[in-house]
Amino acid sequence: MKYISTRGECEPHSFEEVVLTGLAPDGGLFIPESVPQLTREQILSWKNLSYAELAFEIIRLYVDGAVEDEVLKQMVIDTYAEFNHPEVAPLKELADNEWVLELFHGPTLAFKDFALQLLGRLLDHFLQKRQQHVAILGATSGDTGSAALEGCKHSEFVDIFILHPHNRVSEVQRKQMTTVVGNNVHNIAVSGNFDDCQKIVKQAFSDQSFLPDGYQLVAVNSINWARIMAQIVYYFYAALKFIDKNEAVSFSVPTGNFGDIYAGYLAKRMGLPIKQLIIATNKNDILHRFISQNQYNLTGLEASLSPSMDIMVSSNFERFIFDMFKGDTDKVSNFVTGLSSTVNQVSEEEWGLAKANFDSASVSDETTCEVIKEIQDKHGYLLDPHTVIGVKAAQLCKKDSVTPMISLSTAHPVKFSAAVEKAGLETPKFPHHLSDLLQREETYVVMPNDLAEVETYIKQSL
Ligand SMILES: *Cc1c(COP(=O)(O)O)cnc(C)c1O
C-alpha cells in the first residue's frame, strides 16, 4: 500500500518512508491511497481475539508487508504486554448503555501509549535495518511527550527532542517527561503555548538544513501515520463487544489534534458499524464551531482544565478536510494555509459531509468539574478532565438510547489532579509503577519561542 499527501505535491510514499518522516515533504499529511474494506462478517470473526491479536490483524492491512508478519506480530505482542491490564482496553459501564473505554493502562497513563509504544518499535526496526540514526522531534500538549520518550528511549538509533509549553502542562505530565533518563533524551520547555510549539516543529520539518549531514527529523506527533493506524484498533476492540447483538455503536472522543477521532472515522470507513462519532472539545472549540455553524476561524488559545486539548490548529483535521473536499488537493492547501481569524466557511455540500460524519459539543471548565463530581457521587467512578468532556458531550449529542455509547477515556485522573481537586474530590493515587514520580529528579531546558534557538540547541545536542 502506498501513502499520498493531502496536499498532492509529492510522490506516493511507502509505509517505511511514511513512518520515518511523519510530515509529507510538501507540508501535507500522509493518508493511505485507499482504505481497506471489511465486511461485517469478517469483523465479527475477530470477536474472540485478544487485543494484541486483533491489533495485528488490523495493523497488517496498513503495513502491507513492509514488516514481515512474524516480526510485526511479535512487535504488537510486546507493545501491549507493557500494559497493566489483561484486557489492555477494558470497558466500564457507567449507566444503561453508557460505557467508558479505559485507554490509560499503558506505561504513561494516557491513550498515547497505544500508538507510541508501537511506533518506537517500528522505528527501531527500520533504523536497525538501515543502520541510520535520526532525530525525533515532537511538540506535546502534555501526554505525547512522555509516551514518546517511553516508547523510543531504548533505541540506540534515535535522539529525541520534545517541546512542551512552559508552565502549561500539569506537574505530573512534566515530571513524566523530565524524569526520563537517557543521554538521547532532550526535554525543551518553550515559553509559549502548544500551538507555538507545534509551529516550531512544523517549521523545523519544512527546512531541515540546520541538521548535521546525514540526519533527518522524524515526527512522533499524531501527524505520523503509524499513530493513527494503531489507534484504529481500539474502536474495533470496543465495538466487537456489542455488534453481535447491536446494529451499531457510537463513540464520543475528547479531541485536540483530531488524531484519535480521525482513527475512529477511519474505522467507520473500513466498515465498522459506527452510528455517531462525537467531537468533544473544551472551550478551545474551533471544531465544534465548524460542525455546528460552518465557521472555521482561529480565536485566542485559552488554557483550560483539560490541557491536552488546548489546541486551536488541529493538525489531523487536514486528513478529514481532504475527504471533505473529495481529494481536491489545491483546495486543501488553500484552506489550511489560508486559515486566519476571519470566518472561513466551506460550501453547504462540503459542510453537509462533515455533519454527516460528526456531531460535536464544547464543555466549559465549570461543567467539567461539576460532571467529575456528579459521576463520582452517582457511580463511584473518577474521570479525568478530558474523559469527562467526552462523557458530557455524549449526553448532549446522543440521538437514541438503544445504541451503546462509548466514551473514550483518554487519561488516568492522577495525571490531572488539579481538576479533580477543583471538583472538590480527593487527590487520586498513583499506580504502583509511578508511586515515586514526584520525588524523581528532573532535567530540562527552558527556551524562548524561537525557531532558530531551538534548532541550534538540537544541532549542538546531536
Ligand atoms: C492527546 C490527548 C487528547 C486529544 O487527542 P487528539 O488525538 O489530539 O485529538 C485528549 N485527551 C488526552 C488525555 C490526551 O492526552
Side-chain angles (χ1 to χ4, degrees):
M1 171 168 332
K2 289 281 186 189
Y3 291 82
I4 55 172
S5 165
T6 48
R7 304 212 187 153
E9 299 280 330
C10 66
E11 293 293 299
H13 282 54
S14 70
F15 179 78
E16 179 172 334
E17 289 164 337
V18 163
V19 169
L20 284 177
T21 51
L23 201 63
D26 60 2
L29 276 74
F30 285 117
I31 46 174
E33 217 165 28
S34 62
V35 174
Q37 299 297 307
L38 301 165
T39 62
R40 192 178 179 106
E41 207 177 16
Q42 191 167 4
I43 295 170
L44 281 171
S45 76
W46 289 338
K47 183 168 170 64
N48 295 320
L49 298 187
S50 69
Y51 191 90
E53 287 165 342
L54 178 68
F56 171 67
E57 293 297 339
I58 291 168
I59 287 170
R60 72 195 281 266
L61 300 172
Y62 290 98
V63 173
D64 196 25
V67 180
E68 308 87 273
D69 271 356
E70 280 315 299
V71 177
L72 181 65
K73 190 161 200 174
Q74 195 57 49
M75 237 185 244
V76 171
I77 290 171
D78 293 345
T79 294
Y80 297 106
E82 302 258 349
F83 282 59
N84 294 310
H85 194 287
E87 282 217 56
V88 182
L91 274 163
K92 288 271 155 69
E93 188 167 18
L94 266 193
D96 195 28
N97 250 347
E98 269 181 54
W99 299 78
V100 170
L101 181 66
E102 293 185 347
L103 301 175
F104 54 72
H105 295 285
T108 71
L109 314 182
F111 79 91
K112 306 289 199 296
D113 289 321
F114 276 83
L116 283 159
Q117 284 290 323
L118 180 68
L119 179 57
R121 288 177 168 83
L122 282 168
L123 283 173
D124 203 46
H125 173 79
F126 291 135
L127 293 171
Q128 164 109 38
K129 195 178 73 177
R130 296 172 165 220
Q131 287 296 302
Q132 186 187 352
H133 201 109
V134 298
I136 289 175
L137 176 60
T140 184
S141 56
D143 299 323
T144 291
S146 52
L149 291 164
E150 284 299 329
C152 305
K153 68 181 179 188
H154 299 299
S155 174
E156 52 181 300
F157 298 98
V158 306
D159 266 273
I160 170 161
F161 298 86
I162 297 293
L163 275 53
H164 71 265
H166 190 37
N167 291 334
R168 289 190 186 228
V169 299
S170 78
E171 186 190 8
V172 173
Q173 286 181 311
R174 190 189 71 243
K175 292 248 178 186
Q176 280 186 312
M177 296 188 274
T178 58
T179 62
V180 176
V181 192
N183 46 20
N184 61 345
V185 168
H186 313 274
N187 277 292
I188 304 170
V190 173
S191 303
N193 61 33
F194 172 73
D195 282 351
D196 297 325
C197 296
Q198 183 155 262
K199 195 165 166 206
I200 290 179
V201 168
K202 282 187 180 167
Q203 286 173 332
F205 270 88
S206 66
D207 179 4
Q208 303 187 16
S209 57
F210 70 94
L211 289 169
D213 276 353
Y215 267 91
Q216 74 180 53
L217 295 178
V218 172
V220 290
N221 285 98
S222 48
I223 53 175
N224 193 309
W225 165 255
R227 284 196 47 188
I228 305 291
M229 171 185 82
Q231 289 171 203
I232 295 171
V233 177
Y234 46 71
Y235 287 91
F236 278 84
Y237 187 72
L240 275 165
K241 306 273 183 219
F242 299 99
I243 55 171
D244 51 347
K245 294 182 241 44
N246 295 81
E247 199 55 37
V249 293
S250 293
F251 288 97
S252 181
V253 188
T255 304
N257 230 346
F258 205 76
D260 205 3
I261 192 157
Y262 179 73
Y265 163 79
L266 278 181
K268 184 175 170 183
R269 280 192 54 201
M270 289 170 76
L272 192 66
I274 296 179
K275 182 157 187 205
Q276 283 182 274
L277 267 176
I278 300 166
I279 297 171
T281 74
N282 61 26
K283 59 187 158 188
N284 297 298
D285 62 348
I286 181 170
L287 292 167
H288 172 56
R289 280 183 279 123
F290 179 63
I291 298 297
S292 58
Q293 301 165 45
N294 191 5
Q295 295 192 354
Y296 196 69
N297 56 305
L298 305 178
T299 52
L301 188 69
E302 287 183 67
S304 77
L305 288 176
S306 41
S308 303
M309 292 154 62
D310 288 347
I311 294 174
M312 189 61 58
V313 185
S314 291
S315 297
N316 283 289
F317 197 50
E318 181 166 340
R319 290 183 156 120
F320 175 72
I321 289 174
F322 178 91
D323 287 352
M324 184 175 71
F325 288 157
K326 303 211 160 69
D328 184 334
T329 51
D330 288 340
K331 243 180 169 175
V332 176
S333 299
N334 288 337
F335 190 79
V336 295
T337 56
L339 272 190
S340 66
S341 55
T342 51
V343 174
N344 302 283
Q345 293 191 309
V346 298
S347 73
E348 281 296 316
E349 191 198 339
E350 288 153 356
W351 185 45
L353 199 64
K355 283 195 299 179
N357 279 290
F358 302 104
D359 295 290
S360 70
S362 161
V363 176
S364 69
D365 276 354
E366 202 186 350
T367 307
T368 296
C369 289
E370 275 168 23
V371 183
I372 290 178
K373 175 95 169 64
E374 182 191 313
I375 304 266
Q376 171 67 42
D377 290 348
K378 238 201 214 150
H379 306 294
Y381 187 77
L382 184 61
L383 296 170
D384 100 287
H386 304 81
T387 305
V388 77
I389 288 176
V391 168
K392 181 68 189 178
Q395 292 168 357
L396 294 171
C397 298
K398 192 162 87 166
K399 290 199 178 127
D400 69 65
S401 53
V402 296
T403 310
M405 175 61 78
I406 303 166
S407 295
L408 302 199
S409 179
T410 51
H412 190 292
V414 76
K415 288 193 94 158
F416 304 97
S417 52
V420 176
E421 285 157 16
K422 220 170 179 167
L425 300 171
E426 233 172 272
T427 314
K429 293 213 169 29
F430 281 96
H432 183 69
H433 74 284
L434 288 171
S435 55
D436 67 336
L437 179 73
L438 298 182
Q439 283 80 50
R440 294 182 198 166
E441 200 181 323
E442 296 185 76
T443 315
Y444 65 105
V445 293
V446 182
M447 304 199 71
N449 175 16
D450 183 84
L451 174 67
E453 292 217 24
V454 172
E455 289 183 342
T456 305
Y457 177 80
I458 292 173
K459 193 167 123 184
Q460 286 169 352
S461 308
L462 286 171

